[in-house]
Amino acid sequence: MFQVDVDYLKRAKKRRDYAPAVITIFLTLAGIISALPIVYLIVTAFKPAEELFLYPPRFYVENPTTKNFADLFAISSDSLVPFTRYLFNTVVVTVCYIFLLIIVSSLACYPLSKHKFPGHKGAFSLITTALMFVAGAAAVPSYLIITGLHLDNTPLVYIIPLLANCTCLFLMKQFMDQVPDSIFEAGRIDGASEWQLYTKIAVPLLKNACATCIILTFGGVWGDAATATTYIYDEQWRNLAFYMNTLQGGLARTGANSAAGLLMTLPSIIVFMLSQSKVMDTMAHSGIK
């Protein structure tokens, strides 16, 4: 018979009890450190001019003010297109793009996952292959196609070329693969059409994957200054990111630039905070470890 060392078991239990506390403290510190740049960005946007040029710089603000935002709107009032026009263009384009991206990606992932049509493996192989290429590698072909279709200098140039998002399609397809085929077979037996199977079963089950796609794509389309620079010639169709990049530097506009940085970053942070709880569930069901 083996003699159990009671003291050893007690010491081992105490050591195990410390592990959750250590992990919690470590993750809390890591979270605080990760949040410091965001907090500093927010604080800087409300600093008056005298605090912006302090040396050494202060992390906190003593006399918060909204003058930086007023200066930003005042600068835009001198341009041909008001600030609200740039903001309106960006909001409309972002909302339309996210909405259409979810529809296109979900419509594509459903047959790829649940309909074994001829060539479906080859089609999915092309999609996964496209994930290896960066956007810059297709810059010249993209320019020729966009100008050939006369999408340049129209709001559609912000949306249509980006709808073929291989990352979102891959995530949704892998997520849909985890759904049992028996669910859709039961729907067919009950007389449901393919459109009803898609709208009543597939789309509700893809809500977590859709939230992940929103997080992954929102920042890119909200801060897309390259498209406006390359394809838009009329100022009235340009977006907020383009306008922010055209702000002149210098001491007089440091506060306005700080406010502009917050306006460009804050929407992405809000979207992430609202949707991040669904990201891990999507990753766990899409084969990504």
Side-chain angles (χ1 to χ4, degrees), residues 25-171:
I25 294 173
F26 174 78
L27 293 178
T28 301
L29 292 176
I32 293 173
I33 294 173
S34 301
L36 287 179
I38 299 175
V39 174
Y40 184 75
L41 176 68
I42 297 174
V43 169
T44 304
F46 293 94
K47 283 184 177 180
E50 57 271 15
E51 294 188 38
L52 285 171
F53 301 111
L54 283 178
Y55 185 83
R58 294 176 180 173
F59 186 83
Y60 58 91
V61 54
E62 290 186 348
N63 301 302
T65 179
T66 58
K67 185 178 182 299
N68 295 334
F69 296 92
D71 291 342
L72 177 61
F73 284 98
I75 293 171
S76 65
S77 63
D78 297 333
S79 61
L80 296 176
V81 179
F83 178 86
T84 53
R85 176 69 186 195
Y86 295 111
L87 181 60
F88 175 79
N89 291 343
T90 303
V91 171
V92 171
V93 165
T94 302
V95 172
C96 292
Y97 171 72
I98 295 296
F99 177 75
L100 292 176
L101 176 66
I102 297 302
I103 292 178
V104 171
S105 298
S106 60
L107 282 173
C109 83
Y110 173 62
L112 280 173
S113 177
K114 299 306 176 185
H115 292 269
K116 308 305 180 184
F117 56 89
H120 74 280
K121 292 184 178 180
F124 187 66
S125 297
L126 289 176
I127 294 170
T128 54
T129 303
L131 293 173
M132 298 187 298
F133 295 92
V134 296
V140 174
S142 297
Y143 181 84
L144 295 176
I145 293 173
I146 290 172
T147 54
L149 294 175
H150 303 291
L151 295 176
D152 52 323
N153 204 34
T154 66
L156 296 178
V157 75
Y158 294 108
I159 301 173
I160 294 180
L162 300 178
L163 288 180
N165 192 306
C166 297
T167 302
C168 290
L169 179 54
F170 174 81
L171 286 175

Side-chain angles (χ1 to χ4, degrees), residues 243-257:
Y243 172 72
M244 295 302 182
N245 287 345
T246 60
L247 287 177
Q248 299 295 325
L251 299 179
R253 294 188 175 182
T254 302
N257 287 330

